Amino acid sequence: MRIILLGPPGSGKGSLAKALCKKLPFVHVSTGDLFRQHIKDGTPLGMSIRHYMDAGELVPDELTVQLVTDVLQDEKVRDNFMLDGFPRNIQQAEALEAVLEPIGMKLDCVLHVIVPDEMIVNRVSGRRLCKGCGYIYNMESHPPMKEGICNICGQEVYQRPDDNPEVIEDRLKTYHGITEPLVDFYQKRTRVIDLDNSGDLEDVVNSALALLSEAKE
Ligand code: AMP
């Protein structure tokens, strides 16, 4: 299946995608994770995008579309992917169509992740990420066992520079103004499934699995 996870920043798309991809044969393609890896590795792309990411601004379309186009060259990825954080505007969605259509590939559905903005601001201020494996913690609901150290790989757990309250307000504005119109865009093209992600992750994963298996039929 080819799926897009669409939802506001901080809505838990990353944790949800990672949990779903453990249970289903999808490749999780997170543009945010890929960009963070470039920054960590100090690549030319990483150096040119760092200031956009730290400020919570969108990276220019040509760089983002190129990144995703490259990833989708791999046949294993383009047969079964879960795109997380892409597309983020209509131009990126059209660019994705332009990659998939000529090779006869279509999206199967869009999972539209819904969480109220107030909850997002709270969640994001408690969010921490592992520098090594990218595992996502929350200082209130799911902190690492040893402060500042990842339970899984032992590397440092840090707060993303774009996860502070002022930046998240701007990122939410960008989401509502530029990304949310994609719900309409995709409603005209494929199946859009609304998913309430304000509850417990395990319950949400189970609902998502049930909805995806219905969508497959
Ligand atoms: P995320 O991890 O999805 O919250 O993305 C973190 C940051 O990466 C965003 O605030 C942008 O700076 C950049 N980014 C990720 N995906 C995209 C995209 N599709 N278009 C432009 N910028 C992106």
Side-chain angles (χ1 to χ4, degrees):
M1 282 180 99
R2 296 178 202 94
I3 298 180
I4 289 177
L5 267 186
L6 185 65
S11 60
K13 294 189 302 301
S15 303
L16 180 62
K18 286 181 174 86
L20 286 173
C21 291
K22 274 194 192 148
K23 305 202 178 233
L24 297 168
F26 291 124
V27 181
H28 176 207
V29 180
S30 156
T31 42
D33 284 353
L34 292 170
F35 282 143
R36 278 184 286 278
Q37 189 62 44
H38 274 277
I39 292 177
K40 189 176 159 200
D41 295 344
T43 67
L45 175 63
M47 286 190 270
S48 66
I49 60 170
R50 180 174 212 139
H51 63 286
Y52 296 109
M53 296 202 47
D54 286 355
E57 290 167 14
L58 293 185
V59 170
D61 284 347
E62 61 273 22
L63 299 177
T64 310
V65 168
Q66 189 58 54
L67 179 85
V68 175
T69 306
D70 289 347
V71 172
L72 292 179
Q73 295 311 307
D74 182 339
E75 272 175 38
K76 270 186 253 130
V77 180
R78 61 183 189 219
D79 282 344
N80 274 303
F81 60 72
M82 182 167 280
L83 279 180
D84 160 13
F86 183 93
R88 268 198 162 73
N89 58 33
I90 304 280
Q91 292 81 347
Q92 294 183 4
E94 287 172 345
L96 178 63
E97 278 184 347
V99 173
L100 296 180
E101 267 178 16
I103 47 173
M105 297 202 164
K106 278 188 13 186
L107 290 171
D108 291 284
C109 68
V110 171
L111 265 187
H112 174 215
V113 179
I114 301 168
V115 176
D117 283 6
E118 314 77 71
M119 189 178 261
I120 288 179
V121 175
N122 275 333
R123 275 189 186 176
V124 163
S125 40
R127 176 158 69 179
R128 300 291 183 276
L129 228 68
C130 171
K131 266 193 179 156
C133 65
Y135 189 82
I136 303 165
Y137 293 92
N138 185 285
M139 295 312 282
E140 262 179 45
S141 56
H142 177 46
M145 287 187 289
K146 203 168 160 200
E147 207 187 314
I149 303 292
C150 177
N151 299 346
I152 297 163
C153 71
Q155 291 213 35
E156 188 190 336
V157 167
Y158 76 110
Q159 183 171 34
R160 284 170 45 173
D162 55 343
D163 271 357
N164 75 61
E166 294 96 73
V167 177
I168 188 64
E169 296 283 354
D170 286 345
R171 289 166 65 202
L172 282 170
K173 269 193 213 136
T174 305
Y175 175 76
H176 291 303
I178 294 176
T179 309
E180 207 169 25
L182 285 173
V183 175
D184 241 25
F185 175 94
Y186 280 121
Q187 264 160 354
K188 296 186 186 111
R189 287 162 169 79
T190 185
R191 191 191 298 234
V192 176
I193 302 170
D194 285 346
L195 183 72
D196 177 356
N197 196 16
S198 55
D200 181 64
L201 178 63
E202 212 178 301
D203 295 340
V204 180
V205 169
N206 288 333
S207 316
L209 288 171
L211 291 164
L212 287 176
S213 91
E214 267 172 41
K216 221 174 160 185
E217 281 156 19

